[in-house]
Amino acid sequence: MTERLTNRWNGITALAFVAAGIGILLGQPVTLLLSAVGVGYAAFAQPRTAPEATVALDRRLSETDPDPDDDVTVTLTVTNVGDQTLPDVRLVDGVPDALGVVDGSPRRAVTLRPGDTTTLTYDVEASRGVHEWGETTVLTRNWSGTAERESGVTAPGNIRCIPSLAQDHEDFPLRKQTVEHAGRVTTDTGGAGIEFHATREYQHGDPMHRIDWKRTAKTGEFTTIQFREERAATVALVVDTRRDAYVSDTDGVSAVEHSIRGARTVGPALMGAGNSVGVAAFGPIWTWLTPSLGRDHRARLRETLATGEGFGPLPSGDRYLPRQTIRRLRNHLPGDAQVIFFSPVADDYLVTTLRRIEAYGHDVTLVSPDVTDTDTHGGLVATMERSERLRAVRRAGIRVVDWDPDTPLRLALQDAVRGWTR
Amino acid sequence: MSVVDRSPTTPGRVIALLAATIAFLTTLAGTAGSVGIGLVGAGLLALGVFAGSRPAIDLGALALFAGVVFAAAWSTSPVLPLVGAVAAVVAWDAAENGLSLGQQLGRDAATGRAEAVHAAVTLGVGLVAAIGAYAVYRLSAGNQPLPALVLLLFAAVVLTAALRD
């Protein structure tokens, strides 16, 4: 709580003196009389203390578990619980930084007599995450406005907005896998599966349904058809949450938000195909969910992507520690885990990072939401720099999905897969 | 996310311009000089409330007050000059208040009632002072010499200045 002088009536006494002086010089009683007005206001401006903010706040939210983009109506009731009139109360509600006000205003000026109540009503648009209302700033002034007192008053209020995981199970093409678990990643090993791989001579113990009966009928020899074996993979969805990744598109949505949306699509698709999926926030605040499967894990994945500390809707104020973060990722990743990295690739550092992860023996696929704006000169430069970086990433043998976030990720995947087939 | 417009509020602008117009009209009773000063003052104040400039508001109101003071030198009745002086102060007060509200809360915030109350109080204070002055003038007119009036008022001015530490 701070009290300050506004200095707004400074000089009013001088005004009275000037009027009196001119009146005397000109010998005009009427002019002289005007100094009385100045004197009156000087007396009015004499008190220099602002009243205490004797207000009680009550905040009501129309919904506390909204879906993303839902409008939540906030009703803030402010009552003067003191026994003195508050001549000039200026209110600024502590709307969470990540929420945008779409209708009404969270700010108001009022005069409150004892017991008087005023109600502020405004709508915010819900977005991913847990949002807590902060202190409401209450500025109280005295009648003449010479002094102002700033106080913070809190009233509880928070919303939890947990976007659901994508429903449509579009397959995400993982990189070839060499480790044993039945699943859907195709390998170069022949065995049970769907896609034809090769034929070989029948060996004792081969299942009957894989014997090539047509060939037996023709030649009398037994051959066994081998299919491409499909195996399950362990995948970590790593989201770039460093400050650089919070670049916004032209609508003001950050690349991190797009990346998380991408993870919400890719995660369930991979789990639906029998893969273990984990998530990591690659930024100042490390958040990690160990790869796993199952319904409970899906719920955990959804919760982590929505409210995980590292996945904040706004950049964290903490410092990003490059070595520590890389080491953590390396320590947490299971040995055979693939990495699907989500990043706008807004800096060169990321290219090096991806190369390093690949060098540690993890197959990396980069999904890069493109938030660059080609309408401005700066945007054009950023676009060119980004393409150059993506080229460098591809040269390192890393698969790249260049994704325009305005279109479904599925389309970007189809384009990318066409480029991968060699 | 929308950007908040931080220029002076609409009620502040309206009240300030209304009061400035009244103050300017009272300068018409004086000479061309007082009218000129008054016009410059009103114009500057109008500029100040639209551009959100505190110096323009302060200087404009000062010029407006000066115009009223000079016009009063040619006036035989104190009523019009007193009205003009109060109007000039009310115009400045509403403009400055609207400016600070605009800066602190933005133009889209509901501030009308608070500004109306604020202006009414300032007007009330001015009217009380003006009526008091008028009463003194009527009582002293004719039978009291001018110097007595001067000293009486000046004492009041000095007293106020002394009260302020």
Side-chain angles (χ1 to χ4, degrees):
Chain A
M1 188 178 65
T2 52
E3 191 175 358
R4 55 182 168 254
L5 296 177
T6 58
N7 298 326
R8 67 188 298 268
W9 284 100
N10 282 8
I12 190 70
T13 316
L15 206 66
F17 271 114
V18 169
I22 293 173
I24 292 164
L25 280 176
L26 298 177
Q28 287 293 336
V30 173
T31 303
L32 186 62
L33 211 54
L34 293 185
S35 68
V37 173
V39 172
Y41 280 114
F44 173 55
Q46 209 47 242
R48 279 161 180 249
T49 45
E52 297 268 354
T54 51
V55 290
L57 266 57
D58 179 49
R59 188 183 288 105
R60 297 275 157 86
L61 304 169
S62 65
E63 209 178 342
T64 51
D65 295 297
D67 288 328
D69 302 333
D70 275 5
D71 284 359
V72 177
T73 304
V74 184
T75 313
L76 181 72
T77 311
V78 182
T79 310
N80 181 3
V81 292
D83 49 11
Q84 286 194 324
T85 298
L86 299 173
D88 188 338
V89 186
R90 301 173 178 197
L91 302 156
V92 181
D93 200 8
V95 182
D97 291 340
L99 294 183
V101 176
V102 289
D103 193 29
S105 171
R107 302 172 301 274
R108 166 171 293 187
V110 281
T111 303
L112 290 176
R113 283 172 300 179
D116 268 5
T117 287
T118 187
T119 309
L120 275 82
T121 310
Y122 60 94
D123 287 0
V124 292
E125 191 177 78
S127 62
R128 184 188 61 84
V130 175
H131 307 280
E132 176 120 33
W133 263 257
E135 272 188 349
T136 303
T137 306
V138 183
L139 298 163
T140 46
R141 285 187 170 198
N142 55 1
W143 285 106
S144 57
T146 48
E148 181 179 271
R149 189 188 292 268
E150 182 177 339
S151 328
V153 184
T154 34
N158 67 74
I159 59 172
R160 282 169 60 83
C161 175
I162 320 280
S164 40
L165 299 175
Q167 294 301 316
D168 53 334
H169 285 270
E170 195 71 33
D171 274 353
F172 186 90
L174 284 172
R175 295 192 39 189
K176 293 206 162 91
Q177 189 79 9
T178 44
V179 179
E180 314 273 324
H181 292 290
R184 292 214 198 144
V185 180
T186 53
T187 61
D188 280 332
T189 316
I194 302 164
E195 196 187 337
F196 177 79
H197 179 60
T199 57
R200 64 165 164 77
E201 201 177 310
Y202 176 79
Q203 287 168 9
H204 186 72
D206 277 351
M208 283 229 302
H209 70 265
R210 277 175 49 201
I211 294 170
D212 188 353
W213 291 111
K214 283 182 187 159
R215 183 183 276 244
T216 314
K218 234 188 264 172
T219 63
E221 283 170 24
F222 286 97
T223 46
T224 301
I225 300 173
Q226 288 201 303
F227 298 96
R228 247 175 227 285
E229 274 199 350
E230 293 186 344
R231 285 167 188 174
T234 302
V235 185
L237 310 174
V238 182
V239 178
D240 185 0
T241 56
R242 295 167 308 123
R243 182 166 288 273
D244 280 316
Y246 280 89
V247 283
S248 296
D249 62 13
T250 42
D251 295 332
V253 182
S254 77
V256 170
E257 215 56 50
H258 290 307
S259 294
I260 291 171
R261 187 157 56 88
R264 278 203 305 269
T265 311
V266 174
L270 290 173
M271 281 195 280
N275 302 294
S276 294
V277 178
V279 284
F282 192 84
I285 301 176
W286 173 256
T287 298
W288 170 254
L289 180 68
T290 309
S292 182
L293 264 174
R295 185 131 58 107
D296 290 352
H297 187 70
R298 282 177 69 100
R300 274 197 298 274
L301 189 87
R302 180 183 169 195
E303 181 81 21
T304 308
L305 282 174
T307 65
E309 223 196 320
F311 295 103
L314 295 174
S316 156
D318 294 3
R319 238 166 58 99
Y320 168 66
L321 304 166
R323 280 153 182 267
Q324 196 187 45
T325 311
I326 282 270
R327 198 178 332 119
R328 275 183 171 154
L329 181 65
R330 209 184 159 185
N331 291 344
H332 282 95
L333 279 178
D336 59 335
Q338 294 205 15
V339 169
I340 299 176
F341 209 104
F342 294 84
S343 170
V345 202
D347 60 346
D348 291 329
Y349 165 80
L350 197 90
V351 180
T352 331
T353 305
L354 293 177
R355 280 210 202 107
R356 277 179 78 170
I357 301 171
E358 180 90 8
Y360 291 145
H362 300 285
D363 287 336
V364 180
T365 305
L366 169 69
V367 177
S368 180
D370 182 5
V371 293
T372 54
D373 172 20
T374 47
D375 291 343
T376 63
H377 288 291
L380 272 177
V381 173
T383 307
M384 272 150 55
E385 284 178 347
R386 181 172 170 277
S387 328
E388 187 46 51
R389 287 187 202 113
L390 291 188
R391 225 168 291 141
V393 172
R394 285 196 188 96
R395 271 201 300 276
I398 293 167
R399 279 182 175 178
V400 174
V401 182
D402 190 355
W403 173 35
D404 171 7
D406 289 340
T407 64
L409 180 57
R410 174 165 43 87
L411 298 181
L413 274 173
Q414 285 167 3
D415 284 351
V417 169
R418 228 170 284 141
W420 294 341
T421 43
R422 335 180 166 139
Chain B
M1 256 164 259
S2 54
V3 178
V4 178
D5 182 355
R6 297 283 178 188
S7 56
T9 58
T10 309
R13 285 175 178 172
V14 171
I15 298 168
L17 292 182
L18 214 65
T21 309
I22 293 170
F24 169 67
L25 288 177
T26 65
T27 64
L28 293 176
T31 59
S34 64
V35 174
I37 297 173
L39 191 62
V40 167
L44 210 56
L45 191 113
L47 191 83
V49 291
F50 280 105
S53 157
R54 184 168 269 120
I57 290 172
D58 289 353
L59 278 176
L62 194 67
L64 200 54
F65 192 83
V68 172
V69 167
F70 283 118
W74 277 265
S75 179
T76 45
S77 157
V79 176
L80 222 51
L82 283 172
V83 168
V86 172
V89 176
V90 169
W92 168 82
D93 177 66
E96 201 281 338
N97 195 43
L99 181 87
S100 79
L101 279 168
Q103 282 172 349
Q104 288 174 341
L105 306 180
R107 288 203 52 171
D108 58 334
T111 56
R113 278 187 63 91
E115 288 188 83
V117 169
H118 185 93
V121 169
T122 306
L123 179 66
V125 169
L127 286 182
V128 167
I131 289 167
Y134 183 70
V136 169
Y137 179 83
R138 290 296 291 198
L139 286 176
S140 62
N143 39 35
Q144 298 288 338
L146 181 65
L149 196 63
V150 172
L151 285 176
L152 183 69
L153 275 168
F154 222 74
V157 174
V158 172
L159 188 68
T160 326
L163 278 173
R164 200 175 247 194
D165 20 297

